[in-house]
């Protein structure tokens, strides 16, 4: 098992790093974090032109069809920003869900537009009774006169404000398990759909309300009802290591910020990096960063090698979710008061670590699913 990057991946890493440094300065990131979209129209045009939204989409559907590890290299560099925007929601999780759930005709219609940035996807799964298990989904889609009628709420939907379409998990059957769940592709401008940014989170996390929303029957992803959960779960399993790579990039950036600050901040006549307690905090950051990196890239390697990857994916998500929290906490210990100044940039990572902790399942859920995958 070789977890090192290839020459092409190193080139991709360098290219993305240069773009992020040029276009996403600290002041820009602080301002973008406050916006519901997390990206400007100019930056969206540029990132679409670079192929970020189509990196995972096969060439037959208008993308570049690169590997999971290639995609993770891109997202690790985005995490260093941290760069905001719908790159993961639309180009990874949304695109993978369409690839897993859609018919051939639906893939041909949707994926080229996603790769071209003409159609933005947001995946709406969780509800007020929050959870990433199928029994938590209760939003009922009632079939009437060739339409599905929806009334209810989806919570913690990432990038719904900028999305043009919502992939919504609903119940179309009587079962309370996974067999009764379907996925509907709903244009956000459908009458009765309302999106509100949730306060207290990163600005790109939203609530979506459905008030007597009528969705045509052909909005169903796939050719039969009740097959949505299996498709979404398969897509999520492929998307999770890429989300983890984003967190690895953030951890790397916090580490570098902390080391640099420890070298330049002078207290009692010497750099604070000479103090044992500061060194302890940085060692803790390194340990968590390494654990996150290698569990993530092992999962990616298994995906690309078509090996059984479930236990490694769950391990990566559990480790990186907690590592990101701990790295940010360690970073604040090193920086002390300056770390809480929003313009400094550390708080962007701290807030992101809390916001992304629950996306696609928290550490507790993935530890439980890992033991199930291992048969323990």
């Amino acid at each position: 098992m070789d977890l090192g990057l290839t020459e092409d991946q190193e080139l991709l890493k360098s290219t993305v790093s240069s773009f992020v440094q040029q276009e996403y300065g600290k002041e820009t990131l602080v301002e973008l974090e406050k916006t519901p979209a997390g990206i400007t129209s100019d930056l969206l045009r540029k990132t679409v032109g670079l192929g970020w939204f189509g990196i995972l989409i096969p060439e037959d559907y208008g993308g570049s069809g690169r590997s999971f590890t290639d995609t993770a290299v891109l997202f690790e560099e985005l995490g260093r920003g941290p760069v905001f925007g719908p790159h993961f929601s639309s180009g990874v999780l949304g695109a993978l869900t369409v690839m897993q759930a859609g018919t051939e005709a639906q893939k041909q219609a949707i994926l080229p537009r996603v790769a071209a940035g003409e159609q933005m996807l947001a995946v709406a799964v969780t509800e007020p009774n929050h959870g990433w298990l199928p029994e938590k989904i209760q939003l009922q889609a009632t079939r009437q006169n060739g339409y599905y009628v929806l009334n209810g709420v989806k919570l913690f939907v990432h990038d719904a404000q900028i999305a043009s379409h919502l992939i919504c998990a609903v119940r179309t059957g009587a079962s309370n398990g996974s067999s009764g769940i379907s996925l509907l592709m709903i244009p956000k401008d459908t009458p009765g759909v309302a999106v509100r940014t949730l306060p207290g989170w990163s600005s790109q996390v939203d609530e979506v309300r459905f008030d007597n929303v009528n969705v045509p029957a052909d909005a169903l992803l796939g050719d039969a009802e009740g097959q949505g959960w299996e498709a979404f779960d398969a897509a999520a399993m492929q998307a999770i290591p890429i989300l983890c790579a984003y967190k690895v990039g953030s951890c790397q950036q916090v580490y570098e910020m902390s080391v640099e600050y420890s070298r330049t901040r002078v207290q009692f006549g010497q750099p604070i990096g000479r103090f044992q307690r500061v060194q302890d905090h940085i060692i803790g950051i390194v340990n968590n960063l390494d654990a996150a990196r290698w569990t993530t890239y092992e999962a990616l390697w298994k995906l690309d090698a078509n090996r059984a990857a479930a236990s490694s994916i769950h391990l990566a998500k559990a480790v990186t979710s907690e590592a990101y929290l701990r790295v940010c906490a360690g970073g604040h210990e090193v920086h002390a008061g300056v770390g809480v100044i929003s313009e400094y940039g550390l708080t962007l990572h701290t807030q992101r670590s809390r916001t992304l902790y629950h996306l696609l399942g928290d550490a507790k859920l993935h530890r439980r699913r890992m033991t199930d995958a291992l048969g323990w």
Side-chain angles (χ1 to χ4, degrees):
M1 180 172 60
D2 183 3
L3 300 184
L5 300 184
T6 66
E7 185 176 343
D8 284 346
Q9 289 165 348
E10 290 286 3
L11 178 60
L12 174 63
K13 179 183 177 73
S14 175
T15 301
V16 178
S17 176
S18 296
F19 182 86
V20 171
Q21 290 178 29
Q22 178 179 336
E23 300 289 345
Y24 286 93
K26 194 177 296 184
E27 292 181 358
T28 299
L29 288 166
V30 170
E31 290 304 313
L32 287 176
E33 195 283 325
K34 302 173 185 176
T35 66
I39 194 169
T40 65
S41 57
D42 182 54
L43 285 171
L44 180 60
R45 176 182 55 80
K46 290 178 179 178
T47 55
V48 167
L50 290 169
W52 290 5
F53 286 90
I55 189 170
L56 263 184
I57 295 173
E59 293 180 1
D60 291 346
Y61 303 116
S64 54
R66 299 190 68 158
S67 69
F68 292 103
T69 303
D70 290 346
T71 307
V73 169
L74 163 64
F75 276 84
E76 183 176 339
E77 290 305 308
L78 296 186
R80 287 172 65 94
V83 172
F84 307 102
H87 312 99
F88 179 80
S89 296
S90 187
V92 177
L93 183 59
L96 287 171
T97 302
V98 173
M99 283 190 267
Q100 290 288 343
T103 64
E104 182 60 27
Q106 289 171 332
K107 295 175 189 177
Q108 293 286 354
I110 298 169
L111 293 175
R113 292 178 58 80
V114 173
E118 298 168 359
Q119 188 166 321
M120 291 290 168
L121 306 178
V123 181
V125 175
T126 52
E127 300 181 7
N129 185 20
H130 184 269
W132 291 94
L133 295 173
E135 56 266 26
K136 297 292 186 179
I137 297 174
Q138 298 299 322
L139 178 59
Q140 195 74 32
T142 306
R143 190 77 174 264
Q144 295 179 5
N145 301 320
Y147 285 83
Y148 293 104
V149 181
L150 279 68
N151 284 283
V153 178
K154 290 291 184 180
L155 281 182
F156 311 115
V157 181
H158 286 243
D159 304 299
Q161 290 281 12
I162 195 175
S164 62
H165 290 73
L166 305 168
I167 300 177
C168 188
V170 299
R171 287 214 168 268
T172 53
S175 171
N176 284 324
S178 61
S179 61
I181 298 172
S182 300
L183 300 174
L184 300 180
M185 177 73 75
I186 305 173
K188 194 180 71 177
D189 59 3
T190 302
V193 176
V195 179
R196 177 179 70 93
T197 299
L198 293 172
W201 297 79
S202 286
S203 298
Q204 298 79 43
V205 181
D206 307 301
E207 170 195 83
V208 181
R209 287 189 172 272
F210 301 93
D211 184 12
N212 288 323
V213 175
N214 288 272
V215 183
D218 62 7
L220 177 73
L221 277 180
D223 50 17
E225 292 182 352
Q227 300 176 356
W229 183 259
E230 289 73 14
F232 168 73
D233 192 52
M237 290 291 282
Q238 294 173 327
I240 283 170
I242 297 169
L243 177 62
C244 291
Y246 182 96
K247 297 180 183 184
V248 169
S250 289
C251 291
Q252 179 71 35
Q253 183 67 15
V254 173
Y255 161 71
E256 292 177 11
M257 291 171 69
S258 301
V259 170
E260 179 63 21
Y261 187 76
S262 74
R263 289 171 175 168
T264 57
R265 177 71 167 97
V266 175
Q267 188 64 270
F268 304 112
Q270 58 185 319
I272 63 171
R274 293 183 178 177
F275 301 144
Q276 182 66 53
R277 192 68 185 116
V278 173
Q279 293 173 6
D280 289 344
H281 288 309
I282 292 178
I283 289 170
I285 291 172
V286 171
N287 288 340
N288 282 285
L289 167 61
D290 284 349
R293 181 182 302 282
W294 300 124
T295 54
T296 293
Y297 277 88
E298 180 192 27
L300 290 161
W301 176 79
K302 286 185 176 180
L303 281 178
D304 284 328
N306 292 316
R307 293 173 177 257
S311 61
S312 294
I313 290 169
H314 296 310
L315 175 64
K317 185 60 165 69
V319 168
T320 57
S321 291
E322 295 190 337
Y324 196 8
L325 296 181
R326 292 168 181 164
V327 165
C328 288
H332 280 282
E333 292 286 356
V334 172
H335 285 85
V338 73
V340 303
I341 300 173
S342 60
E343 291 78 10
Y344 184 75
L346 181 58
T347 56
L348 295 176
H349 294 283
T350 306
Q351 188 172 17
R352 206 70 171 161
S353 71
R354 273 66 180 166
T355 301
L356 297 179
Y357 184 84
H358 298 280
L359 181 56
L360 299 180
D362 62 13
K364 182 178 179 180
L365 170 66
H366 284 284
R367 283 195 293 267
R368 187 164 69 246
R369 292 197 65 186
M370 180 180 67
T371 60
D372 292 341
L374 292 170
W376 292 354

